[in-house]
Amino acid sequence: MPELPEVESIRRALHGQLVGATVRGVSVLRRDVIVGLGDPQGGFSRQRSERSASNAATSPTALRPGDLLDGFIIDRLERRGKQLAIIGRLPKPSPPRIAERALVVQLGMTGQLLLGEAPSNPRSLAHVHIRWDLAPAKSRTAHTLLFRDPRRFGGVRIFESSDALYEHWATALGPDALSITPEHLARSLTDSQRAIKAALLDQAVLAGVGNIYADEALFRAGISPRRLAAKVRASEAEPLAESIRAVLEHAILRGGSTLRDYVTPDGQPGTYQLAHNVYGRAGQPCPRCGGKLKSATIAQRTTTWCPNCQR
DNA sequence: AGGATAGCCTGCGGGC
DNA sequence: TGCCCGCAGGCTATCC
């Protein structure tokens, strides 16, 4: 399940192949994974329910040429939290009205971005919803980019400029978890009457932590996932922020955690799952004290922790 | 208004 | 072997 380390690994793997490539064509195999300009505010699930309610008045806005970067040169890839943005610019001699367009890819649970080498002959895969045909930059070989997502918890969101993208990020997301500071953490947690685990999963508090790395970071910091956020002491903000950053950085170095679906765009799995201390290890001995790791549902998520080491 | 909850979706593994 | 069921959880809308 892609959290920050997995999305960052994907971004790095895509960077060399995509930046400088020209999008020569886009095929949309499933329209409802796309949230377009002018659509009512809200997420992918809302749009789907509107469609299934067969309400013609709220049918999704038609895609315009270029909305999915057709004809654009891929300028850069950026990430905030678990969101990956593909930002395109038009080639030099172009109408000045549109200079830029940005796509945000949210991978959800099972989303993948996959690179294909052969032109117009992508791997035939089930659940591929969007295909970009590319003219690669010099000495590059990727001719297709696929968005695949069996469970369709993910999707693609269109922004008319990078400014619009950054505004969305500033309002919807907290600071990127890789750069979280004790000050921001402390500020976000005081007065919060929910479990610390729930606060860490809240992308508006900090962006990028999901179920796996929330459990791992809390274990490293010695804080029980059950504790109320407001009861995390000021003196614990520093070790907690350090734990979040350290766990994520170590996971990036190992290419992320592959449990089932996650692979980088060239098909490589991560190996950080081998280093998990608590996630998925309920009932097994705590790597620190040897006691039995406990599991319960906290914040609607399966949570594993050591009741002895985490208070 | 912050916090809790429902629902979206498919694949897989355990049990019988 | 095959079917059924439970479970996995990121994100948003909605309810309280």
Side-chain angles (χ1 to χ4, degrees):
Chain A
M1 28 238 70
E3 302 180 25
L4 188 153
E6 291 75 29
V7 179
E8 177 60 18
S9 299
I10 290 167
R11 192 193 67 78
R12 292 178 184 184
L14 288 177
H15 177 86
Q17 288 291 334
L18 289 191
V19 171
T22 304
V23 178
R24 289 297 189 208
V26 184
S27 308
V28 177
L29 290 85
R30 270 200 88 106
R31 174 62 178 81
D32 60 7
V33 300
I34 300 165
V35 174
L37 297 161
D39 278 351
Q41 285 206 329
F44 309 112
S45 55
R46 169 163 173 191
Q47 185 170 344
R48 276 197 290 273
S49 57
E50 280 166 355
R51 282 164 66 85
S52 62
S54 68
N55 185 345
T58 57
S59 64
T61 311
L63 289 174
R64 302 166 312 176
D67 271 353
L68 289 176
L69 301 181
D70 194 6
F72 282 68
I73 294 170
I74 296 176
D75 187 62
R76 59 197 193 273
L77 301 170
E78 296 186 7
R79 180 195 58 73
R80 178 145 163 177
K82 307 171 194 173
Q83 298 193 8
L84 180 67
I86 305 173
I87 300 167
R89 58 178 160 85
L90 281 175
K92 271 280 161 56
S94 60
R97 46 195 192 90
I98 327 163
E100 260 191 338
R101 193 139 291 173
L103 300 180
V104 161
V105 179
Q106 294 190 197
L107 296 168
M109 280 290 295
T110 54
Q112 301 171 323
L113 287 168
L114 303 169
L115 289 169
E117 307 268 309
S120 68
N121 184 28
R123 297 182 250 183
S124 77
L125 286 169
H127 307 302
V128 170
H129 307 312
I130 306 175
R131 186 183 79 230
W132 289 267
D133 293 309
L134 308 170
K138 232 183 198 167
S139 77
R140 305 302 184 188
T141 55
H143 286 263
T144 57
L145 173 68
L146 305 177
F147 173 63
R148 174 173 187 266
D149 186 9
R151 289 174 67 179
R152 304 204 301 280
F153 280 18
V156 172
R157 189 183 296 248
I158 299 166
F159 292 89
E160 55 192 325
S161 66
S162 52
D163 282 347
L165 163 71
Y166 297 142
E167 190 184 331
H168 161 71
W169 276 353
T171 54
L173 300 180
D176 189 77
L178 271 187
S179 55
I180 192 69
T181 62
E183 293 75 21
H184 176 88
L185 214 44
R187 217 177 308 131
S188 307
L189 301 182
T190 15
D191 302 335
S192 178
Q193 297 300 310
R194 55 180 167 172
I196 178 65
K197 163 116 179 195
L200 295 186
L201 292 176
D202 186 344
Q203 301 301 296
V205 171
L206 75 167
V209 173
N211 203 37
I212 295 171
Y213 299 104
D215 279 10
E216 294 297 324
L218 286 168
F219 174 77
R220 185 181 167 102
I223 296 172
S224 166
R226 280 188 158 150
R227 195 176 342 154
L228 282 190
K231 299 245 176 181
V232 174
R233 291 180 291 278
S235 62
E236 291 173 304
E238 171 84 56
L240 180 55
E242 191 277 336
S243 295
I244 292 167
R245 293 191 308 263
V247 162
L248 296 173
E249 282 163 8
H250 291 160
I252 291 171
L253 288 175
R254 286 164 182 77
S257 302
T258 294
L259 301 179
R260 183 171 294 173
D261 303 279
Y262 162 72
V263 286
T264 59
D266 37 13
Q268 292 299 306
T271 61
Y272 190 69
Q273 69 280 2
L274 303 173
H276 289 173
N277 282 309
V278 286
Y279 180 87
R281 298 192 63 245
Q284 298 177 44
C286 167
R288 189 177 294 155
C289 75
K292 199 173 176 183
L293 294 176
K294 180 177 171 150
S295 181
T297 298
I298 300 172
Q300 284 70 245
R301 296 290 176 266
T302 299
T303 303
T304 309
W305 76 103
C306 174
N308 180 45
C309 298
Q310 297 174 253
R311 300 292 181 159

